[in-house]
Amino acid sequence: MKVMMINGSPNEKGCTYTALLQCKKGLEEMGVDANIVHIGREPVYSCSACFGCEETGRCVHDDICNNMLALAEQSVGIIVGSPVYFAGPTGAICSLLERMFFANSDVLKAAMF
Ligand SMILES: Cc1cc2nc3c(=O)[nH]c(=O)nc-3n(C[C@H](O)[C@H](O)[C@H](O)COP(=O)(O)O)c2cc1C
């Protein structure tokens, strides 16, 4: 049983990571395997509404979105961590999640909590 944890901060080992690490330890104490995946610092595009993903379940922009979808397929759950940027999640994590949901909502429906 594996849980994917997304660190949505541009800082790989910042506060978001520290919070996720506590969750990871808690999960592992319960026998649940968990991996923290960093969103990175490259720009993350938002959905361009091209509907190219409809048949493939993958985004036409073959970047972090498709890498994360592949990891999500192997996971029983997903935990998303983000710093607060102007009272909301970061733009990068919102862009990533909107594309992941649009490209393959079945994977995320099964794994998201
Ligand atoms: C662009 C930007 C906007 C921010 N907006 C808020 C905010 O609205 N409220 C808040 O409490 N902190 C805000 N912060 C502070 C971050 O949420 C805080 O430093 C966070 O712990 C950083 O997490 P990280 O170390 O994982 O990057 C903001 C930081 C940045 C860079």
Side-chain angles (χ1 to χ4, degrees), residues 5 17 19 26 30 39 44 64 67 70-71 79 81 86 94 96 106:
M5 310 179 83
Y17 172 82
M30 294 187 293
I39 195 169
V44 182
I64 188 170
N67 297 340
L71 290 172
I79 294 174
F86 297 103
C94 291
L96 174 66
D106 286 348

Side-chain angles (χ1 to χ4, degrees), residues 9-11 14-17 83-87:
S9 169
N11 299 310
C15 298
T16 307
Y17 172 82
V84 174
Y85 279 6
F86 297 103

Side-chain angles (χ1 to χ4, degrees), residues 88-103:
T90 65
I93 200 77
C94 291
S95 293
L96 174 66
L97 291 177
E98 84 186 15
R99 284 169 61 211
M100 288 176 72
F101 271 115
F102 208 62

